[in-house]
Amino acid sequence: MKPRTLLLVSYYFPPHGGGASVRMLKLAKYLSREGWRVLVLTSDGRRHVHLDPGLLEELPRDVLVTRAASLEASAPALERRMAGGQGPASLLKPLVHLKRRLLFPDERAGWGPAAVLSGLSLLRRFRPDAVLSSSPPVTGHLVGRFLARRAGIPWVAAFRDGWVSDPLADPAPGDRARRWEARLVRDAAAVLGATPGIAEDFRTRYPDAGRRVHWIPNGFDPEDRRYAAGNGGSRKEAYLLTSVGVGRYTRDIAPVLDALAGAPGVRLRLVGSTFPAAAALAREKGVGDRVEVFPLVSRHKALALLGESDASLLVLGAGADSRSSFATSLFDYLMVGKPLLAVADPGPAADLVAASGLGKAVAPGDVTGIRAALLELAGATVSPHPEALAPYDRRLQAARISRLLESLGRRPRVLMVAQYFDPAAGGSERQACQQAEDLAAEGASVTVLSRRARGVRDQDLPGVREIRVGDPESPGPLENRGLAVPFLFGCRIAAHLLRHGGNYDVVHFHGAGLPAMLAGPAARLRGLRILAKVSAANTGWEAGSLLEKGRWGPAGWLARRIFRKVDLW
């Protein structure tokens, strides 16, 4: 049996570091074990601030990775210093915000054109069965949507963070983003949210998509436990907590440092980019000798540091950050199985920490509560609850996504040919628009090929792609156009089928006159099924007379040759 093939579109993928890259790596790894042939379309990585080549050791050999160059005009290290407000570079911070406002849908928009070109090549070579794209950046969804529509295959949109409703988005999305988000949700065969809040938000704002929205969270890979095999042997000196973080947002460590001042038997290790000014702040608060700050390290090194520790520390921001975020590092803490303190407001992360049996959550501003929790944690023993952790096993998550992809199946790819595609043009045209919309609603991938003409407007029907050919000043539907106009239209249809016929399964000629007769042989040559709708009022011919022997001379002979082989009238 031919292996199923998935095109995975993600800007972040190893050797990129960070949670987004790890999530896509694990998905590719375990989908490969589920029997999928995985094609990864990603960026070339030259502009990413955190590289972690060690992650490539986990990549299965049968996963094909294609890296598309990006046209982004950015300097990641400089922008990180600008956003963090550090040094003279912070004076240029307004320029970063200006760039983010000008680029759509996000600052990675420059990757889109090259990604589309590389993706089209993958479609031609491998003919994948489905496309799955991941965001942020949302540019990945635009690429995935385009490629899936072009190939007529199901597309799954995975949101690690929200878009329009993301409370931490900078800058806040505008009306254009809202319109595009609605299109993405409308066209996706399935929408995946990484948190319950994201999934519920989509179901609330897009009720028609409710059944297509699924919550599939971040998780942990049990095989990563080998990297965190330390014994936590620091108890003789002081109790050691480790916090690991690499992400888009910085978080306030000050309340934890204030609490640490009242817990003399506790040391703190901070790893990554989440706390950029922690070392200076620790010295200022008089606990610098008990706080160790590591820069960005590899994922395997970070797991080793967690394994050497006595406990883990999760820090989220107050309010929206705690209500909407899980934080990727939380799942590494759950996998390691050490006692866990979460500094977070009530929300999904705090609930999961409590359900895991590994620790407790304290509000970010409660210094007294954090100090008490630190002292309590130092003498605690924990018993993880396996049933609470099971849904976050990446192996089970990949199996669930595999079943979802299999359930979507391959969408039939229909090319509808209509001289005019505008309900205002007449009854037949209204019927063509309704049929296209109905086919799309039934799950078909519908492309409409029609003429440009005076007075004919583009339609924006859900799930319907339009291609218009010809001169926009050519005669309209109510004008006398003779034979030249339909003859040229038929030639253009034939040329389109000869060049792009591999993108379709069925050609539906809506109004099977002269253009259909000219283009029919091209459809047969490409091995496509043909559906024809004959209208005597439009053609001037009776449908039956087209097949009568000896009628209409050469035209009748050509019509008989074509329509005798039509699959369905």
Side-chain angles (χ1 to χ4, degrees):
M1 186 178 71
K2 177 186 174 183
R4 300 156 295 174
T5 303
L6 173 69
L7 176 56
L8 184 63
V9 180
S10 175
Y11 181 88
Y12 298 108
F13 198 81
H16 291 164
S21 180
V22 172
R23 179 179 171 98
M24 292 299 102
L25 168 65
K26 302 299 185 180
L27 181 58
K29 172 182 174 179
Y30 286 114
L31 281 179
S32 176
R33 296 187 186 180
E34 290 288 328
W36 287 85
R37 181 178 188 180
V38 182
L39 313 173
V40 178
L41 176 59
T42 186
S43 61
D44 57 13
R46 290 179 297 173
R47 298 184 177 275
H48 196 51
V49 71
H50 177 36
L51 297 178
D52 189 356
L55 292 174
L56 292 172
E57 299 172 3
E58 301 182 46
L59 187 65
R61 292 183 178 181
D62 60 350
V63 174
L64 175 66
V65 181
T66 299
R67 303 188 186 277
S70 179
L71 302 177
E72 300 167 63
S74 64
L78 179 62
E79 290 191 10
R80 180 67 61 85
R81 290 196 295 271
M82 291 180 191
Q86 300 175 36
S90 63
L91 299 177
L92 300 178
K93 187 175 180 180
L95 295 180
V96 176
H97 291 284
L98 178 62
K99 188 191 79 168
R100 290 174 178 171
R101 289 185 180 278
L102 292 177
L103 294 177
F104 185 85
D106 49 49
E107 58 187 333
R108 306 302 183 192
W111 176 62
V116 166
L117 291 176
S118 297
L120 290 174
S121 176
L122 292 172
L123 293 181
R124 289 191 295 269
R125 291 172 58 196
F126 299 103
R127 295 181 64 84
D129 300 287
V131 177
L132 187 150
S133 59
S134 175
S135 73
V138 179
T139 295
H141 287 326
L142 269 60
V143 172
R145 173 181 180 267
F146 176 86
L147 295 174
R149 284 165 65 93
R150 184 64 179 265
I153 55 181
W155 165 56
V156 176
F159 289 83
R160 299 188 313 277
D161 295 314
W163 184 15
V164 169
S165 59
D166 184 358
L168 304 176
D170 181 23
D175 291 339
R176 187 182 181 191
R178 293 184 180 88
R179 291 193 298 272
W180 266 101
E181 184 189 75
R183 290 176 184 172
L184 296 179
V185 174
R186 179 193 69 191
D187 292 343
V191 177
L192 310 183
T195 69
I198 293 173
E200 186 58 33
D201 172 66
F202 280 128
R203 293 191 188 103
T204 301
R205 292 191 293 115
Y206 304 104
D208 292 343
R211 293 183 178 180
R212 294 185 286 112
V213 178
H214 308 268
W215 170 44
I216 298 184
N218 270 308
F220 59 86
D221 182 355
E223 294 183 4
D224 283 347
R225 289 194 175 102
R226 67 183 186 271
Y227 301 112
N231 297 317
S234 65
R235 294 181 183 273
K236 294 180 180 180
E237 302 176 8
Y239 195 80
L240 176 62
L241 282 87
T242 296
S243 181
V244 176
V246 178
R248 293 189 295 163
Y249 313 115
T250 59
R251 293 183 168 111
D252 185 13
I253 195 66
V256 177
L257 298 179
D258 288 334
L260 190 65
V266 178
R267 291 191 298 127
L268 182 61
R269 175 188 284 161
L270 304 174
V271 183
S273 60
T274 307
F275 313 109
L281 191 59
R283 289 193 296 271
E284 178 183 321
K285 294 183 177 294
V287 292
D289 59 330
R290 291 190 285 130
V291 176
E292 187 178 11
V293 179
F294 281 76
L296 289 171
V297 299
S298 71
R299 171 172 171 76
H300 298 164
K301 173 65 174 177
L303 292 175
L305 293 174
L306 286 175
E308 296 171 1
S309 302
D310 299 300
S312 305
L313 171 67
L314 172 70
V315 180
L316 296 179
D321 192 12
S322 293
R323 290 195 301 270
S324 63
S325 176
F326 263 123
T328 306
S329 57
L330 170 58
F331 301 97
D332 291 331
Y333 304 154
L334 298 178
M335 177 197 68
V336 171
K338 302 290 180 72
L340 173 59
L341 170 60
V343 179
D345 277 335
D351 293 342
L352 180 54
V353 170
S356 70
L358 294 176
K360 62 187 297 185
V362 182
D366 186 1
V367 175
T368 302
I370 296 173
R371 182 186 302 115
L374 289 173
L375 296 173
E376 178 184 340
L377 208 63
T381 56
V382 294
S383 299
H385 299 161
E387 69 282 358
L389 303 182
Y392 303 97
D393 187 323
R394 290 197 189 273
R395 298 170 299 184
L396 300 180
Q397 293 171 349
R400 183 180 171 192
I401 292 176
S402 176
R403 291 192 297 270
L404 173 63
L405 291 170
E406 290 172 352
S407 72
L408 298 177
R410 187 182 182 93
R411 302 168 65 189
R413 303 171 299 172
V414 179
L415 175 66
M416 175 180 282
V417 177
Q419 287 218 54
Y420 303 105
F421 193 67
D422 183 348
S428 178
E429 288 74 15
R430 284 194 296 273
Q431 186 184 55
C433 292
Q434 186 61 54
Q435 284 184 355
E437 193 168 9
D438 290 345
L439 284 170
E442 290 294 327
S445 171
V446 181
T447 300
V448 176
L449 181 62
S450 62
R451 286 183 50 230
R452 295 190 185 97
R454 284 192 294 267
V456 175
R457 303 168 301 168
D458 288 346
Q459 307 300 305
D460 187 19
L461 301 180
V464 177
R465 173 180 174 233
E466 292 184 51
I467 301 175
R468 295 189 183 268
V469 297
D471 182 2
E473 293 303 316
S474 63
L478 301 181
E479 302 177 57
N480 182 15
R481 55 186 183 270
L483 290 177
V485 171
F487 177 82
L488 290 175
F489 182 51
C491 292
R492 290 189 173 103
I493 299 168
H496 179 83
L497 289 171
L498 291 174
R499 185 175 181 182
H500 303 292
N503 295 332
Y504 310 110
D505 302 307
V506 177
V507 179
H508 173 27
F509 291 109
H510 191 90
L514 179 60
M517 283 190 278
L518 292 170
R524 281 297 174 197
L525 186 63
R526 295 309 303 263
L528 304 178
R529 299 191 66 192
I530 299 176
L531 279 67
K533 179 259 182 186
V534 177
S535 172
N538 288 350
T539 63
W541 300 327
E542 299 239 352
S545 70
L546 291 174
L547 302 181
E548 290 180 13
K549 186 175 181 180
R551 293 293 300 271
W552 297 103
W557 177 85
L558 182 60
R560 289 193 302 276
R561 297 290 296 177
I562 295 172
F563 293 122
R564 184 178 293 136
K565 296 183 179 181
V566 165
D567 295 288
L568 181 66
W569 287 86

